[in-house]
């Protein structure tokens, strides 16, 4: 069905280009300076292509080329593309953590879309924080927009074994610490773990969030699992450019797509994929920008209704994202849970999700399981409550050792990550397999930026004894490629005086995932006494962006957005005349 073309005077960019005035004359003259003919852009939808490419982001290193495919699609559909370089958030290289800068990219995205003569946008990202950042900013600007996922890298290979990025990094690093492999093997692993452009090919945070974006309805169908180097990725990028132009002509803004129903379906998707715990924070923040109140209770409620069907590492035990893609991708996955979805909501390509999923099939029942043969009977992330986390905590129990899902043990407390790194192998600490490792001052303000420190290392002497999992608790996050019995996102964080700040080595802690409980066995009276003795730590930053972050950041249970960005309100378009 063809889409009616909008009157050029109705386009937002007309304010810059179409008026009979000095400013419009100047805008047209400067566009000639850029080398464009009037007929190339006047009266056409202007589509911003926001590109997070950089030389130091291996997840996005191919996006410079993909932007050309996006532009090709925009031109073919009768639009005018303009590429904008925006911040790159490299999970690998950016310190202390790209989570510190997620909101900065969201601000940049929002203000670029608002301040320039654009009618719609194509958002190019995929490495963990870039997906939520781009969508948060675009939701606040509320223009028609399409998201282009960077795509997973090729599977890793080493000595006949298929490797999963991140997941096997953690595994083999522990094998080296346990003395089971040496430097020669490690050198080979360095060259075999990540073999191409693209983000992690496990169901880590990147794949989880691009799948969530597809479930929200802001990508073209099947986009989230296409391998980064597959020619289908180029075609998807071109289709996204064409779709962006169609959205402008339909005047279908993101607010039409990012509804309460869409976010519930994204949560269902994340939990059914056995996806990353990071998605909890990011989806809450993204929903808030769209005016939707999403809470930890929504995740826990939905988790009890959806089975895990994706047999993809680390929640699954075998496959990687390329297998998932050729097994049917997200359309195939969603076709197995239609009764759990809101099928009558719109997406960027179809009037209903039902229409978008028509004809979707699964080609491999081991990769995408049937409802009768799930990886797990309920969603892969559990929300915990208790006197240690009054505002909540999360655990990816599908990736934990079953015998630790109900466990009581004595705490061994580390006040910061550096101290933990320096001392974790010291036998004098008396750590046993029953101990509960506690890391504090690693949350949103304390980290700073809530780094992925939550998969605390197991002491080397225990690794040599064969121990591969322990209960670990922190106010930090962990990589979506990580695994183990790691309780994360404890809120409020210890840095602001949450109960985690009051734990002492030797205190007994009970984790009970079935009961959704995390409890510190210390009397209320003793906790009051400890609180009276507690002294707030000094601010991490006294100037610059870090000071703004410290002042404005919210806690994990509310998405770690900035207060001034997440509150209700309106921002008027600039006057372009």
């Amino acid at each position: 069905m063809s889409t009616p073309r909008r009157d050029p005077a109705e386009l937002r960019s007309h304010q810059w280009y179409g008026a009979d005035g000095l400013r419009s004359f100047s805008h047209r003259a400067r566009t000639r300076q850029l080398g464009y003919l009037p007929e190339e852009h006047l009266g056409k939808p202007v589509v911003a292509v926001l590109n997070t490419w950089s030389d130091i982001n291996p997840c996005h290193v191919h996006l410079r080329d993909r932007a050309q495919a996006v532009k090709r699609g925009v031109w073919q559909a009768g639009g005018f593309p303009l590429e904008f370089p925006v911040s790159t958030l490299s999970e690998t290289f950016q310190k202390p953590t790209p989570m510190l800068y997620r909101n900065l990219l969201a601000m940049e995205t929002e203000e670029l879309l608002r301040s320039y003569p654009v009618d719609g946008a194509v958002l190019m990202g995929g490495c963990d924080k870039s997906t939520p950042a781009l969508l948060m900013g675009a939701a606040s600007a509320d223009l028609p927009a399409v998201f282009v996922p960077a795509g997973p890298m090729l599977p890793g290979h080493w000595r006949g074994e298929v490797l999963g990025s991140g997941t096997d990094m953690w595994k083999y690093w522990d094998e080296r610490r346990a003395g089971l492999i040496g430097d020669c093997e490690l050198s080979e692993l360095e060259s075999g773990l990540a073999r191409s452009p693209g983000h992690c090919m496990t169901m880590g945070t990147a794949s989880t969030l691009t799948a969530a974006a597809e479930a929200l309805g802001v990508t073209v169908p099947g986009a989230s699992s296409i391998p980064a180097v597959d020619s289908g990725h180029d075609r998807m990028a071109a289709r996204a450019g064409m779709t962006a132009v169609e959205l402008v002509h339909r005047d279908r803004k993101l607010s039409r797509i990012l509804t309460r129903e869409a976010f519930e379906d994204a949560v269902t998707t994340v939990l059914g994929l056995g996806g990353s715990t990071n998605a909890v924070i990011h989806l809450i923040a993204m929903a808030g920008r769209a005016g939707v109140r999403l809470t930890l209770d929504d995740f826990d409620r939905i988790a009890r209704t959806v089975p895990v069907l994706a047999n993809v590492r680390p929640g699954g035990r075998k496959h990687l994202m390329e297998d998932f893609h050729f097994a049917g991708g997200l359309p195939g996955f969603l076709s197995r849970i239609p009764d759990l979805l809101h099928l009558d909501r719109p997406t960027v390509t179809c009037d209903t999700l039902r229409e978008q999923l028509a004809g979707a099939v699964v080609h491999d029942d081991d990769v995408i399981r049937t409802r009768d043969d799930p990886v797990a009977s309920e969603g892969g992330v559990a929300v915990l409550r208790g006197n240690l986390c009054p505002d909540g905590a999360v655990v990816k129990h599908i990736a934990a050792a079953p015998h630790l899902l109900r466990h009581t043990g004595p705490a061994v407390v580390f006040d910061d990550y550096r101290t933990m790194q320096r001392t974790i192998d010291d036998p004098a600490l008396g750590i046993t397999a029953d101990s509960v490792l506690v890391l504090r001052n690693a949350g949103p303000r304390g980290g700073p930026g809530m780094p992925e420190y939550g998969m605390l290392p197991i002491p080397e002497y225990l690794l040599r004894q064969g121990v591969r999992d322990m209960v670990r608790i922190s106010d930090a996050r962990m990589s979506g490629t990580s695994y183990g019995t790691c309780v994360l996102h404890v809120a409020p964080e210890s840095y602001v005086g949450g109960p985690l700040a009051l734990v002492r080595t030797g205190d007994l802690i009970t984790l009970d995932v079935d009961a959704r409980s995390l409890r510190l066995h210390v009397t209320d009276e003793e906790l009051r006494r400890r609180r009276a003795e507690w002294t707030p730590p000094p601010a991490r930053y006294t100037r610059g962006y870090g000071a703004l972050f410290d002042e404005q950041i919210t806690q994990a249970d509310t998405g770690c957005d900035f207060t001034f960005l997440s509150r209700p309100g309106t921002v008027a378009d600039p006057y372009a005349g």
Side-chain angles (χ1 to χ4, degrees):
M1 182 178 68
S2 62
T3 301
R5 306 289 94 175
R6 291 179 71 186
D7 185 326
E10 296 177 349
L11 297 173
R12 183 175 180 272
S13 57
H14 181 79
Q15 301 173 56
W16 277 261
Y17 287 122
D20 182 18
L22 173 63
R23 295 297 178 189
S24 289
F25 167 71
S26 173
H27 299 150
R28 293 191 297 270
R30 292 299 187 174
T31 305
R32 301 299 160 267
Q33 181 185 6
L34 291 168
Y36 293 111
L37 295 166
E39 51 267 40
E40 290 187 85
H41 75 98
L42 288 180
K44 297 181 178 181
V46 179
V47 175
V49 182
L50 270 57
N51 194 348
T52 53
W53 169 89
S54 88
D55 272 332
I56 200 167
N57 192 336
C59 305
H60 294 180
V61 72
H62 58 304
L63 292 187
R64 172 182 273 180
D65 294 331
R66 293 299 176 274
Q68 301 309 310
V70 171
K71 292 180 189 179
R72 185 177 82 228
V74 172
W75 287 119
Q76 288 291 330
F80 177 59
L82 293 172
E83 186 176 355
F84 291 77
V86 292
S87 301
T88 193
L89 304 182
S90 172
E91 200 65 40
T92 304
F93 291 106
Q94 195 167 26
K95 308 299 179 186
T97 168
M99 184 65 177
L100 188 70
Y101 302 103
R102 182 200 69 181
N103 297 343
L104 185 62
L105 175 54
M107 291 169 64
E108 183 181 17
T109 298
E110 176 180 353
E111 298 308 324
L112 277 175
L113 295 180
R114 180 172 289 113
S115 60
Y116 279 95
V118 299
D119 302 297
V122 175
L123 315 168
M124 305 185 68
C127 190
D128 299 11
K129 312 306 175 295
S130 61
T131 300
L134 290 165
L135 288 171
M136 287 164 67
S140 293
D142 197 23
L143 296 179
V146 184
F147 182 72
V148 170
M153 69 177 86
L154 294 175
H157 284 277
W158 177 67
R159 297 189 178 184
E161 183 177 348
V162 177
L163 301 176
S165 57
T167 301
D168 280 311
M169 177 186 73
W170 312 116
K171 172 186 172 182
Y172 283 109
W173 187 255
D174 277 352
E175 296 292 278
R176 180 179 185 263
R177 293 178 65 226
L180 299 177
I181 64 171
D183 290 343
C184 179
E185 291 86 353
L186 206 67
S187 178
E188 292 177 13
L189 283 161
E190 284 182 11
S191 299
L193 194 62
R195 299 172 45 240
S196 78
H199 58 66
C200 290
M201 79 303 256
T202 49
M203 189 57 74
T205 302
S207 291
T208 300
L209 286 168
T210 55
E214 184 174 340
L216 284 169
V218 297
T219 75
V220 299
S224 63
S225 62
I226 303 173
V229 295
D230 194 296
S231 63
H233 200 268
D234 233 22
R235 297 191 297 273
M236 176 271 293
R239 175 60 62 188
M242 298 174 73
T243 300
V245 176
E246 295 297 307
L247 288 171
V248 172
H249 283 303
R250 288 173 177 259
D251 197 24
R252 184 172 285 181
K253 299 179 180 179
L254 269 182
S255 54
R256 289 275 313 280
I257 309 297
L258 298 179
T259 61
R260 171 81 196 183
E261 292 77 15
F263 279 103
E264 288 191 352
D265 288 352
V267 172
T268 298
T269 298
V270 165
L271 294 169
L273 291 171
S276 169
T277 51
N278 286 305
V280 178
I281 292 175
H282 296 312
L283 281 172
I284 288 173
M286 292 158 64
R289 293 297 190 94
V292 174
R293 185 173 184 270
L294 194 66
T295 69
L296 291 179
D297 290 337
D298 291 314
F299 279 85
D300 197 53
R301 169 179 57 82
I302 294 172
R304 298 174 189 270
T305 68
V306 58
V308 178
L309 301 183
N311 187 18
V312 179
R313 290 185 264 173
R317 294 294 179 260
K318 186 175 181 182
H319 299 288
L320 297 172
M321 286 304 298
E322 187 172 11
D323 305 312
F324 182 79
H325 177 65
F326 291 111
L330 199 72
F333 171 84
L334 295 179
S335 74
R336 296 221 146 145
I337 54 171
D339 54 307
L340 303 179
L341 304 172
H342 300 87
L343 296 174
D344 295 320
R345 61 181 176 86
T347 70
V348 294
T349 58
C350 296
D351 290 331
T352 66
L353 179 62
R354 186 189 311 277
E355 177 188 349
Q356 182 164 307
L357 295 179
V361 294
V362 173
H363 306 293
D364 189 328
D365 289 343
D366 188 51
V367 180
I368 302 175
R369 298 287 186 85
T370 64
R371 299 277 280 271
D372 294 333
D373 182 30
V375 175
S377 59
E378 65 174 35
V381 175
V383 175
L384 307 173
R385 303 281 184 178
N387 68 344
L388 195 51
C389 55
D391 292 339
V394 300
V395 61
K396 188 174 181 178
H397 56 97
I398 192 177
H403 74 280
L404 292 174
L405 297 181
R406 194 185 191 289
H407 177 81
T408 299
V412 178
V413 180
F414 300 93
D415 281 323
D416 62 81
Y417 190 71
R418 291 185 187 183
T419 301
M420 183 276 301
Q421 284 182 305
R422 190 175 64 251
T423 62
I424 188 67
D425 293 326
D426 187 353
L429 293 179
I431 300 172
T432 72
D434 291 328
S435 298
V436 176
L437 304 180
V438 175
L439 173 67
R440 55 189 173 209
N441 296 316
R445 290 184 62 194
M450 208 178 178
E452 293 182 339
Y453 291 163
M455 187 184 174
L456 277 67
I458 294 170
E460 187 175 293
Y461 61 87
L462 290 180
L463 289 172
R464 292 179 182 273
Q465 296 171 23
V467 176
R468 290 297 183 270
D469 198 6
M470 296 176 64
V471 175
R472 290 157 275 183
I473 300 172
S474 73
D475 44 17
R477 298 176 299 109
M478 77 175 184
S479 166
T481 66
S482 298
Y483 51 87
T485 314
C486 302
V487 176
L488 311 159
H489 311 179
V490 170
E493 64 175 306
S494 56
Y495 192 81
V496 300
L500 200 65
L502 310 179
V503 181
R504 295 183 178 177
T505 294
D507 290 346
L508 289 178
I509 295 175
T510 293
L511 166 67
D512 189 337
V513 173
D514 284 345
R516 300 298 197 262
S517 173
L518 182 66
R519 182 161 184 80
L520 175 66
H521 294 281
V522 174
T523 65
D524 291 344
E525 180 180 355
E526 172 63 12
L527 289 177
R528 283 192 293 270
R529 187 183 68 78
R530 293 182 187 181
R531 181 168 297 285
E533 296 174 354
W534 180 75
T535 301
R540 296 291 195 205
Y541 297 95
T542 58
R543 63 161 303 280
Y545 172 74
L548 173 68
F549 184 96
D550 189 69
E551 174 189 300
Q552 291 288 327
I553 195 69
T554 64
Q555 289 293 294
D557 60 304
T558 53
C560 295
D561 201 355
F562 286 165
T563 302
F564 76 95
L565 293 175
S566 58
R567 66 191 177 208
T570 58
V571 180
D573 260 353
Y575 176 61

